[in-house]
Amino acid sequence: MTRTRHLRSCAILLAFAAGWAGVVSASAEETEPVSTNFNLAGPTAGGKQFWTDRFIHNGWRIQRNVLTGHHRLLDAKNVRRAWGTYDGCRNEFEQFRQELDLPPVCGRVLVTLHGLGRSRSSMAGIGKYLADNGPFTWINVSYASTRDSVDGHARALAEVIDGLDQPEEIHFVAHSLGNLVIRRYLARREADTRSASDTDRVGRKHPPLGRIVMLAPPNQGAAIAERLKNNDLFRIIAGTSGHQLADQWDQLEQQLATPPCPFGIVAGGRGDKGVNNPLLKGDDDFVVTVEETRLPGAADFLVVPRLHTFIMDDLMVRENTLRFLKHGYFVSDEGRQVIAKIP
């Protein structure tokens, strides 16, 4: 009896973590091509550490749960409208799309991507600022950053972008690990383009790239992750992607592309005027050093006195990010701090 109760308790806890709203049985793999289950529309938290976006359209999104493999369709207010397989949720969305006459996602699309252990809410402020002050259709992507590999995150990002209607070009603004996800996406995109046949190129055309702004990116790895790799708490919290930064950087780095479009880097650093992380060497934002953010080929480079976690919330950072997206520089064309490409 005790064992039965224990198993029942574990099942209930798993259902709670997956956000099933009391439903405790679903296959980890999709066994039906199109399927949705009985649904009671109800509010959700929008997806935090256990949900990854696979489709986004005007605030609506289809997410996959990394623990169970099932999908759910959320509306723009994070109310669950359907759940089951991806195709089932997509069919349900198409019905809502027609009923609500949702406009296509087109024009200059701006994609924002959060960092390790965060959710899309961390990029909500800067994303709204850029959308309100720039000519962009904004998409804020969320992914289960601690529960999958960088390659897995990149695959999900590719699905989101492939699901857009007819964007004229794609711009990116990402924080920390999100930049490595974008670089992995670009590497996969480049490989896909090289290997595609002429027919494939006609049938599936990647949207043109605009500009990219990297906020506190660990482009050269993260010494802090390597220092903490034997810490049990770090390994639990940071998950698979953190493990790649800590133990597998040499392999991961080989899978990352240098953006083939104009990109700028904003690093956090206090110079001689602030306190740095004693676990790191050189100027830093308490998580990533200034040197670790550098990437040859950058069109501009900017160091601001801000901490890693909150760099995207700073008004000056937002203003400079918008300027780069519009003009290709942070402060001025003459004052650009270019990082030369390696010959």
Side-chain angles (χ1 to χ4, degrees):
M1 180 66 69
T2 301
R3 178 178 176 81
T4 301
R5 289 178 178 175
H6 175 71
L7 293 174
R8 185 178 300 167
S9 298
C10 290
I12 293 173
L13 287 173
L14 177 61
F16 176 77
W20 285 5
V23 180
V24 295
S25 62
S27 173
E29 299 293 333
E30 295 180 16
T31 57
E32 299 291 337
V34 180
S35 175
T36 54
N37 302 297
F38 174 74
N39 180 66
L40 290 176
T44 73
K48 298 298 181 180
Q49 290 306 308
F50 299 103
W51 296 93
T52 290
D53 294 335
R54 292 186 62 190
F55 174 81
I56 302 177
H57 190 291
N58 283 285
W60 289 65
R61 61 189 67 230
I62 297 175
Q63 299 179 319
R64 179 181 183 272
N65 187 282
V66 296
L67 297 180
T68 67
H70 81 283
H71 293 77
R72 66 181 184 180
L73 170 66
L74 304 184
D75 66 17
K77 294 183 178 180
N78 290 328
V79 174
R80 191 182 69 177
R81 296 297 180 178
W83 67 284
T85 66
Y86 174 85
D87 288 338
C89 289
R90 184 64 184 268
N91 285 348
E92 292 288 335
F93 167 76
E94 292 301 331
Q95 295 182 34
F96 281 112
R97 180 178 186 173
Q98 293 182 12
E99 292 174 6
L100 300 174
D101 194 24
L102 296 176
V105 178
C106 54
R108 302 174 66 184
V109 175
L110 170 66
V111 176
T112 53
L113 209 62
H114 61 83
L116 182 67
R118 308 295 295 276
S119 69
R120 70 177 185 272
S121 61
S122 67
M123 299 297 287
I126 189 171
K128 185 177 186 304
Y129 174 86
L130 297 172
D132 289 346
N133 295 278
F136 307 112
T137 298
W138 170 42
I139 292 178
N140 196 11
V141 177
S142 191
Y143 62 105
S145 60
T146 64
R147 300 299 101 192
D148 203 349
S149 66
V150 171
D151 186 66
H153 304 322
R155 289 174 182 268
L157 176 61
E159 288 185 292
V160 170
I161 294 175
D162 288 345
L164 300 178
D165 295 309
Q166 294 179 334
E168 295 177 9
E169 59 185 7
I170 301 288
H171 301 262
F172 293 98
V173 174
H175 177 236
S176 196
L177 179 73
N179 293 287
L180 302 190
V181 175
I182 291 172
R183 291 180 60 192
R184 179 58 186 147
Y185 158 75
L186 294 175
R188 294 183 58 84
R189 169 178 160 140
E190 181 181 353
D192 176 64
T193 301
R194 286 200 308 265
S195 62
S197 65
D198 292 338
T199 302
D200 291 333
R201 289 194 181 100
V202 173
R204 179 187 177 190
K205 184 178 180 181
H206 293 296
L209 296 173
R211 296 187 176 105
I212 300 174
V213 174
M214 302 179 172
L215 305 178
N219 282 321
Q220 303 300 325
I224 189 69
E226 186 174 355
R227 292 289 298 271
L228 297 175
K229 65 181 181 181
N230 294 322
N231 182 287
D232 292 337
L233 182 60
F234 170 80
R235 297 182 73 88
I236 293 173
I237 294 176
T240 304
S241 295
H243 175 65
Q244 288 183 283
L245 283 170
D247 294 332
Q248 301 174 356
W249 173 250
D250 289 343
Q251 298 95 312
L252 176 60
E253 187 178 23
Q254 299 301 315
Q255 301 174 356
L256 307 178
T258 297
C261 59
F263 67 97
I265 299 171
V266 180
R270 296 170 177 268
D272 298 329
K273 299 180 180 179
V275 178
N276 291 321
N277 189 330
L279 296 178
L280 300 175
K281 294 181 180 180
D283 198 9
D284 64 73
D285 61 10
F286 247 74
V287 176
V288 177
T289 69
V290 172
E291 289 303 312
E292 287 173 335
T293 67
R294 293 181 178 274
L295 184 64
D300 204 353
F301 184 79
L302 180 68
V303 179
V304 297
R306 298 294 180 265
L307 294 175
H308 184 87
T309 303
F310 308 109
I311 193 169
M312 73 289 283
D313 299 326
D314 182 74
L315 179 58
M316 181 178 66
V317 170
R318 294 179 180 181
E319 292 174 343
N320 287 323
T321 296
L322 179 62
R323 192 175 297 115
F324 187 91
L325 292 176
K326 286 183 174 181
H327 306 295
Y329 56 79
F330 288 123
V331 179
S332 67
D333 189 30
E334 299 78 11
R336 287 193 302 131
Q337 302 294 314
V338 178
I339 302 179
K341 295 182 179 180
I342 299 176

